[in-house]
Amino acid sequence: QVDLVESGGGLVQTGGSLRLSCAPSGFTYTTFAMGWFRQGPGKEREYVGGISWSGDNTYYSDSVRGRFTISRENGKNTVYLQMDSLKPGDTAVYYCAASQYGPSNTIFTGRGYDYFGQGTQVTVSS
């Protein structure tokens, strides 16, 4: 069974920072592309960005580029989403995702992720 467990969410003021972690279990994720999605209140799920299995390639949506950073430590089997300069519009449930069978361009399109975590709430107060 494949599980993705997110942690690190919480309440932060505008301009603050948070770092989310995603710890896959049940599989060796080092060959998987990993990504992050979010869904704000009353909004559709939005693709935040992704990182290739090697960590050499990353992609970010326009709404977070320059403020968020995705990284991975394969030795610790963990993926991170560092979020800086947070805005109230970043308030959402954030989901970690893994691509086992998706195409090679999954991290750039946001399509092809096979597994999703349960999500962690991030709330940015004004």
Side-chain angles (χ1 to χ4, degrees):
Q1 181 177 348
V2 173
D3 289 317
L4 299 171
V5 180
E6 303 94 339
S7 61
L11 174 65
V12 65
Q13 292 185 333
T14 296
S17 299
L18 279 176
R19 188 177 77 161
L20 306 184
S21 300
C22 174
S25 65
F27 64 96
T28 302
Y29 93 121
T30 54
T31 60
F32 290 23
M34 302 293 294
W36 290 91
F37 290 77
R38 67 184 183 183
Q39 187 165 16
K43 299 180 181 179
E44 295 186 354
R45 189 174 68 179
E46 174 189 8
Y47 182 51
V48 173
I51 186 167
S52 61
W53 69 269
S54 65
D56 290 342
N57 294 299
T58 53
Y59 171 83
Y60 302 95
S61 68
D62 289 344
S63 60
V64 307
R65 186 175 295 117
R67 300 187 298 121
F68 290 12
T69 304
I70 300 173
S71 61
R72 64 193 298 165
E73 288 189 79
N74 287 347
K76 294 185 177 181
N77 214 35
T78 303
V79 177
Y80 303 99
L81 177 64
Q82 176 67 42
M83 304 184 294
D84 299 317
S85 302
L86 284 162
K87 308 172 182 179
D90 296 318
T91 294
V93 177
Y94 284 72
Y95 300 90
C96 176
S99 174
Q100 182 178 17
Y101 305 109
S104 59
N105 63 351
T106 289
I107 69 166
F108 301 107
T109 66
R111 294 186 292 272
Y113 288 99
D114 306 294
Y115 309 106
F116 292 84
Q118 294 299 307
T120 185
Q121 176 70 46
V122 171
T123 302
V124 184
S125 64
S126 57

